[in-house]
Amino acid sequence: MTTTTGYLPVPGAGLYYEMRGNGPTLLIAQSGEGDAGRSADLVDQLADAYTVITYDRRGLSRSTLDDPGNGVTMAEHADDVHRLLAALTDEPAAMLGCSLGAVIGLHLAVQHPGQLSTLIAHEPVAPRLLPAPDRARHEAELAEIQQLYREEGLPPALKAVAEVLGIDPAHPDAEPGLTPQPMTSGRIANFGFFIEHDFTAVIDDTLPVGELAHTPARIVPAVGRATPRTVFDYRCAQELATLLGAEVTEFPGGHNGNTTHPRAYAAQLRRVLQNA
């Protein structure tokens, strides 16, 4: 199936995106350092039923910043997705937001009512969803990881990120036959931007939590079946569900189940979208 690529100028940046498949629009906003290709195995499982859009967030891979010294805000990330969807479809779109991508989706649901039909918010890294003491603690935790990255480099910082998100690199659980994702120089650069700039965007986030229950989009709080129940990202999904008066929906795998279990994850995603 043919993949269409494109480049969309947006204020302060340019966005690289990919489109593949046929059917209703489904945009995937990836977590961490993930760019348009990080979800390739998941897209393979969905392109028969959906027109799947993936993209490089500003600052990652092929999505450039007009001023590379500038940081980024969550509002800018959400505006990027708004402009991308407006350029590619006239209909309300479904969106899978993973981790940071879920927070982008929450902003979009509030700022542009009607642009999303369904948002699956998988373990949003959104401290503002938590009670004030927990919020402050986790924001400080992210700032400490940033400082660790600056002082000691990427390997110890990634270890700390994994601990915060409940990821166990020593005992990976994944489906067979996944597309290899080696730690290339490009991924290393993306991780650097993610920790240095996207962490700051999360710490300084202004998500209007009180407005989430009033958006016309159907928001589905989601968690990984293997994610520890006590970690930050799982608790954010729980708090979102409480806020919305909704149930938490489980997906296969853990925090990165969309990349580690693409077949089972896609099957659950289809079920959720078909029940809209």
Side-chain angles (χ1 to χ4, degrees):
M1 193 173 293
T2 303
T3 298
T4 301
T5 64
Y7 190 81
L8 178 71
V10 296
L15 297 181
Y16 170 86
Y17 65 88
E18 298 179 355
M19 292 179 65
R20 184 176 170 205
N22 297 288
T25 301
L26 168 63
L27 182 137
I28 299 176
Q30 180 63 52
S31 61
E33 93 303 354
D35 61 14
R38 190 73 176 93
S39 302
D41 292 334
L42 182 62
V43 175
D44 284 345
Q45 304 299 316
L46 296 167
D48 65 316
Y50 298 94
T51 299
V52 185
I53 301 170
T54 59
Y55 74 108
D56 300 349
R57 287 197 315 272
R58 62 167 63 204
L60 301 188
S61 297
R62 295 143 294 198
S63 287
T64 57
L65 294 173
D66 293 352
D67 182 350
N70 282 350
V72 64
T73 66
M74 296 306 304
E76 286 175 326
H77 278 317
D79 187 64
D80 287 346
V81 175
H82 157 63
R83 292 172 185 273
L84 186 59
L85 286 174
L88 298 177
T89 180
D90 296 327
E91 299 294 328
M95 178 173 177
L96 167 64
C98 300
S99 191
L100 184 73
V103 189
I104 294 171
L106 294 175
H107 274 271
L108 185 65
V110 170
Q111 293 170 7
H112 299 283
Q115 192 164 35
L116 294 180
S117 54
T118 298
L119 167 65
I120 298 170
H122 190 279
E123 299 186 9
V125 286
R128 292 182 70 88
L129 289 169
L130 301 175
D134 293 333
R135 169 186 167 185
R137 179 164 59 87
H138 287 299
E139 289 173 347
E141 202 169 42
L142 293 176
E144 289 168 5
I145 295 174
Q146 278 186 320
Q147 193 59 33
L148 178 65
Y149 170 71
R150 293 164 187 160
E151 294 176 355
E152 301 184 28
L154 187 58
L158 287 183
K159 181 180 179 183
V161 170
E163 290 172 356
V164 167
L165 298 178
I167 300 168
D168 185 1
H171 299 91
D173 174 30
E175 293 176 347
L178 300 182
T179 301
Q181 298 279 353
M183 188 59 79
T184 60
S185 59
R187 281 191 75 194
I188 291 171
N190 285 351
F191 268 121
F193 187 91
F194 170 58
I195 295 172
E196 191 65 62
H197 297 293
D198 285 323
F199 272 35
T200 299
V202 171
I203 293 168
D204 295 341
D205 191 16
T206 57
L207 178 67
V209 171
E211 297 180 33
L212 289 171
H214 307 293
T215 175
R218 173 191 177 221
I219 300 176
V220 180
V223 296
R225 193 167 295 130
T227 302
R229 292 342 189 209
T230 55
V231 297
F232 162 52
D233 39 317
Y234 191 98
R235 291 196 54 228
C236 287
Q238 285 183 311
E239 292 291 340
L240 177 61
T242 299
L243 176 72
L244 299 175
E247 296 293 324
V248 173
T249 299
E250 282 194 350
F251 277 72
H255 187 68
N256 293 322
N258 59 311
T259 58
T260 61
H261 295 73
R263 300 175 189 87
Y265 199 100
Q268 176 67 325
L269 185 63
R270 287 172 184 262
R271 285 191 288 269
V272 171
L273 293 176
Q274 288 166 1
N275 290 332

